Amino acid sequence: MCGITGYLGFREAYPIVINGLQRLEYRGYDSAGIVLTSSDKKLKLYKTKGKVSDLKEIVKTKDITGNLALGHTRWATHGIPNDENSHPHVSNSGRLVIVHNGIIENYDTIKKELIKRGYTFQSDTDTEVLINLIEEVQIKNNCKLGKAVQLALTNVVGAYAIAVYDINKPDEVIVARLGSPLAIGIGENNSEFFIASDASPFIEFTRDAIYLDDEELAIIKLGKKIRVRKINDDSIVKPNIQELKLNLEQIEKGGYDHFMLKEIYEQPSAIFDTFRGRLLADQGIIKMGSVDNNITKFLNAKRIIIVACGTSWHAGLVGEYLLEDIARIPVEVEYASEFRYRNPIINKDDIVIAISQSGETADTLAAIKLAKSNGAFVFGICNVVGSSIARETNSGAYTHAGPEIGVASTKAFTTQITVLTLIALKLGHLKGELSNSKFHNYLQIMKSIPSKVEKLLTVSAKVEKIAAIYKDAPNCLYLGRGYNFPVALEGALKLKEISYIHAEGYPAAEMKHGPIALIDESMPVVVIATKKGHYEKVVSNIQEIKSRNGRIIAIVTEGDTIVKEIADHVIEIPETEEAFTPLLTTIPLQLLSYYIAVMRGCNVDQPRNLAKSVTVE
Ligand code: F6R
């Protein structure tokens, strides 16, 4: 979490870096800061608790000139969000500056050592410790800054993406990464460089970028080619310059009030893009290179273990239903944070599927490394191209959902489920679990999903009215069965994270084992009651809620008459195969959370305490 960005070149750095910070604000928004330097070698440092917009206010009357700048937007780890703990941080001499995304785990030991040597600290952060360690190492070894950063980092335990410079050398920036992402944009003839946690801050300036790998350090010097080396063994790495495919419209709001709403509305095209070139319904084929190339492994897998966090974990649960039901492969779904520490049994014939929108989630990354070290084949389902998880996995499939900026995951969820559905259908067919005719029929139905989502989005106005009725509810229950149990969990997560209403998701039948005690006339209960998903049983559950005066918002299949009689509100989804309903039932739940949060005056795209990319464990 935290976003870092920087500029070194011939333009004024401030507008580039401040704009970049705004694009990176999804990564953390507890505080923001910028440091600028020009040829006069002065340090212009401005930072504040709060958002990038607060920082912009503060600098209005300040000197913001300079062709070199580093910026930071923070998601607090060490030290509360206040001005002192905001980045950039400066070394004791006032010479070295740093921005940092990550955690230095052994900072306390290092800090004590530095204090013994006379260093003082203004903040409670691990980052201020690191910049002083770099200074100490440089003085002790009388070496260049690049070498000092490298030596200092060999003493550090933790995760980092850092950018450091010396105000006396305004033509050079040192960057390094371990566990947190870092991209470098390269201007024509090395006349300018851009540094950022992802490429969004610089796509309008250059298409050429290097993504640093773990344990790499780069020396960026104006007019020179970037030099990359391994931190631990000092070996030289040939930088891999990639061409960025991202475009500017994709990372802007495009007329919507919030990124979340835009991303909800993008789902028909996002799902279609996930299909593109893969779902060849008319030829009766699912073509997925990464599965095809490893087909023996998939077909011989004794078990699939899915690891993920949050919404991606919910997609994993839908994957469990799909892969067991359609492909008849045993599946376990694990929270990556638990899996990595609980000494799990991983066999050589297991396939581990890691799901992550950002591709940077620290726990998921660690779970992948553990699975690989135990000999498992690890397949990734990621959205962000070139992300750490995409690179760490043995093989994988991108969701191609496009950038997801709203902190609450929406299109990432449905496109992850889309990939899992394609894999389940493909394996089910190849294993003979799905007959040819059923397979072909499923492909045609799957193909129609984007247009069904499109149609479903027209319920928006109705959902908005329902939201107005329940926006002040203190609690909310979400119930679903089978394929729609994970959707109930996801619906509850969406509501709590953006509206701060307490919400819980349950398998509908579990209600009578406890949660039913909560039901009274003030409790809205969202029930997913699609036609083929244990419909009669869910109807009984709805009756049980009704007899206890609960308020029912039911998601039903078009044309339903029974639930309509009992529920307070019904939202209809187009008819489809039960296995594909999560792709539809999710949509009204996303809209419901969105409208409730907006009506409660919450910051939908940047809910409190959260960040889009959780690069700390
Ligand atoms: C919820 C949400 C989070 C993420 C989780 C995993 O809306 O966005 O729960 O799903 O932090 O993130 P990724 O998918 O990037 O690994």
Side-chain angles (χ1 to χ4, degrees):
M1 352 243 296
C2 299
I4 66 173
T5 187
Y7 176 79
L8 169 64
F10 55 87
R11 304 175 208 243
E12 277 304 314
Y14 177 78
I16 299 170
V17 170
I18 208 79
N19 200 19
L21 283 182
Q22 264 162 336
R23 288 189 193 155
L24 291 175
E25 217 170 9
Y26 71 87
R27 302 181 63 85
Y29 30 83
D30 290 333
S31 67
I34 187 165
V35 61
L36 299 120
T37 301
S38 41
S39 46
D40 60 9
K41 299 178 183 169
K42 278 198 194 131
L43 180 77
K44 296 160 205 166
L45 175 66
Y46 313 109
K47 50 188 193 173
T48 180
K49 175 180 185 293
K51 304 207 178 238
V52 178
S53 52
D54 299 307
L55 178 65
K56 280 169 94 173
E57 278 304 309
I58 285 179
V59 302
K60 267 188 177 154
T61 53
K62 307 276 197 269
D63 176 3
I64 47 166
T65 54
N67 307 117
L68 167 60
L70 296 178
H72 190 270
T73 175
R74 180 168 187 245
W75 185 83
T77 55
H78 290 70
I80 57 161
N82 62 18
D83 294 357
E84 291 71 35
N85 290 334
S86 309
H87 297 218
H89 288 284
V90 184
S91 66
N92 272 201
S93 70
R95 193 171 49 85
L96 302 184
V97 291
I98 186 169
V99 287
H100 169 214
N101 164 31
I103 289 187
I104 308 301
E105 288 170 12
N106 58 339
Y107 83 104
D108 200 37
T109 323
I110 302 172
K111 188 172 184 175
K112 285 185 181 131
E113 278 303 312
L114 289 170
I115 288 171
K116 274 193 215 153
R117 283 166 218 244
Y119 282 83
T120 56
F121 294 89
Q122 316 297 317
S123 75
D124 305 318
T125 64
D126 48 347
T127 309
E128 195 187 7
V129 174
L130 178 57
I131 194 63
N132 282 300
L133 175 67
I134 294 170
E135 179 154 287
E136 170 69 8
V137 169
Q138 192 178 20
I139 295 168
K140 211 161 126 195
N141 294 279
N142 189 18
C143 59
K144 290 191 171 158
L145 183 59
K147 192 72 197 169
V149 173
Q150 185 183 355
L151 290 173
L153 289 177
T154 54
N155 289 303
V156 153
V157 179
Y160 50 81
I162 55 167
V164 178
Y165 73 79
D166 181 334
I167 60 162
N168 296 321
K169 297 232 164 70
D171 65 343
E172 184 185 79
V173 179
I174 312 297
V175 296
R177 85 157 257 179
L178 177 65
S180 301
L182 201 135
I184 309 167
I186 307 167
E188 220 172 308
N189 299 324
N190 303 309
S191 58
E192 57 180 347
F193 296 96
F194 306 82
I195 297 151
S197 301
D198 69 39
S200 63
F202 57 78
I203 46 165
E204 66 263 54
F205 298 103
T206 179
R207 298 267 142 193
D208 293 339
I210 297 173
Y211 288 91
L212 277 198
D213 271 326
D214 273 350
E215 291 174 20
E216 283 180 1
L217 175 143
I219 298 172
I220 304 170
K221 206 171 168 72
L222 264 190
K224 297 261 164 63
K225 280 193 181 154
I226 294 177
R227 283 175 292 149
V228 183
R229 48 179 68 240
K230 280 279 175 204
I231 293 165
N232 284 332
D233 63 12
D234 204 32
S235 55
I236 291 173
V237 179
K238 189 169 179 288
N240 172 17
I241 302 179
Q242 302 183 19
E243 199 197 321
L244 296 172
K245 298 275 187 289
L246 211 62
N247 66 51
L248 200 54
E249 299 78 70
Q250 287 179 308
I251 57 163
E252 289 183 339
K253 278 194 206 143
Y256 288 89
D257 288 343
H258 298 96
F259 281 111
M260 182 179 176
L261 191 62
K262 174 181 175 237
E263 287 156 8
I264 291 174
Y265 272 84
E266 278 172 352
Q267 287 175 109
S269 59
I271 295 172
F272 181 78
D273 287 344
T274 311
F275 284 167
R276 198 196 297 276
R278 292 171 171 160
L279 178 79
L280 307 176
D282 298 337
Q283 297 169 43
I285 307 173
I286 290 177
K287 204 166 134 193
M288 291 182 81
S290 50
V291 177
D292 296 330
N293 296 339
N294 297 291
I295 200 66
T296 323
K297 282 197 183 75
F298 273 100
L299 294 178
N300 293 337
K302 297 262 183 312
R303 181 173 65 144
I304 291 179
I305 305 170
I306 298 181
V307 292
C309 302
T311 289
S312 298
W313 184 78
H314 295 154
L317 285 180
V318 178
E320 177 181 20
Y321 282 84
L322 286 162
L323 286 158
E324 293 208 341
D325 183 22
I326 298 175
R328 308 301 297 153
I329 303 173
V331 178
E332 281 167 34
V333 187
E334 300 252 10
Y335 284 116
S337 53
E338 286 299 311
F339 180 81
R340 64 180 288 194
Y341 284 124
R342 68 169 188 81
N343 196 13
I345 298 168
I346 309 167
N347 300 310
K348 271 212 310 295
D349 307 331
D350 290 338
I351 288 185
V352 172
I353 298 185
I355 308 177
S356 174
Q357 185 287 128
S358 62
E360 300 295 345
T361 302
D363 284 319
T364 309
L365 200 50
I368 292 168
K369 288 180 181 161
L370 176 74
K372 273 172 78 181
S373 68
N374 280 272
F377 170 77
V378 186
F379 187 89
I381 299 177
C382 287
N383 189 35
V384 177
V385 176
S387 56
S388 303
I389 291 177
R391 286 179 293 154
E392 190 63 42
T393 41
N394 298 103
S395 183
Y398 284 118
T399 47
H400 299 305
E404 194 182 64
I405 312 274
V407 165
S409 211
T410 51
K411 61 178 178 170
F413 181 64
T414 43
T415 53
Q416 288 163 347
I417 295 175
T418 302
V419 170
L420 289 160
T421 309
L422 294 178
I423 296 175
L425 290 175
K426 184 173 182 78
L427 297 181
H429 184 226
L430 289 174
K431 288 182 75 184
E433 299 290 347
L434 273 185
S435 66
N436 267 339
S437 64
K438 207 161 183 181
F439 178 66
H440 287 126
N441 185 30
Y442 277 0
L443 297 190
Q444 291 299 340
I445 300 174
M446 238 348 228
K447 195 178 152 194
S448 68
I449 292 289
S451 59
K452 289 187 171 159
V453 176
E454 188 88 59
K455 179 172 172 207
L456 182 51
L457 283 164
T458 59
V459 298
S460 189
K462 181 171 191 184
V463 177
E464 195 172 356
K465 284 193 187 130
I466 300 174
I469 301 170
Y470 297 104
K471 70 175 179 14
D472 296 319
N475 297 291
C476 190
L477 270 183
Y478 285 74
L479 305 177
R481 289 186 89 130
Y483 279 103
N484 282 297
F485 157 54
V487 177
L489 296 181
E490 174 59 10
L493 177 64
K494 282 292 84 87
L495 186 69
K496 60 188 150 195
E497 68 181 329
I498 61 168
S499 73
Y500 318 137
I501 293 176
H502 174 243
E504 297 290 340
Y506 276 96
E510 269 297 301
M511 190 186 57
K512 50 189 161 304
H513 299 285
I516 198 163
L518 295 168
I519 292 175
D520 61 16
E521 61 290 342
S522 66
M523 173 71 96
V525 186
V526 178
V527 191
I528 305 164
T530 46
K531 240 331 170 330
K532 294 173 193 154
H534 318 285
Y535 180 71
E536 287 76 18
K537 307 238 177 270
V538 181
V539 172
S540 307
N541 298 138
I542 294 177
Q543 294 283 16
E544 289 156 12
I545 302 163
K546 196 68 196 169
S547 9
R548 283 152 186 94
N549 295 325
R551 307 293 304 275
I552 297 154
I553 304 161
I555 314 295
V556 299
T557 311
E558 247 168 17
D560 183 289
T561 48
I562 299 172
V563 177
K564 240 181 215 160
E565 292 292 311
I566 327 167
D568 296 272
H569 315 275
V570 291
I571 300 166
E572 292 189 330
I573 62 151
E575 163 95 54
T576 192
E577 202 46 50
E578 184 58 18
F580 308 150
T581 53
L583 292 168
L584 302 179
T585 50
T586 305
I587 311 290
L589 303 195
Q590 295 170 342
L591 288 167
L592 184 66
S593 320
Y594 171 78
Y595 286 120
I596 289 182
V598 170
M599 287 171 197
R600 288 166 70 90
C602 300
N603 186 339
V604 173
D605 283 335
Q606 295 174 347
R608 69 183 179 209
N609 305 339
L610 291 174
K612 183 79 186 150
S613 173
V614 187
T615 53
V616 295
E617 63 169 289

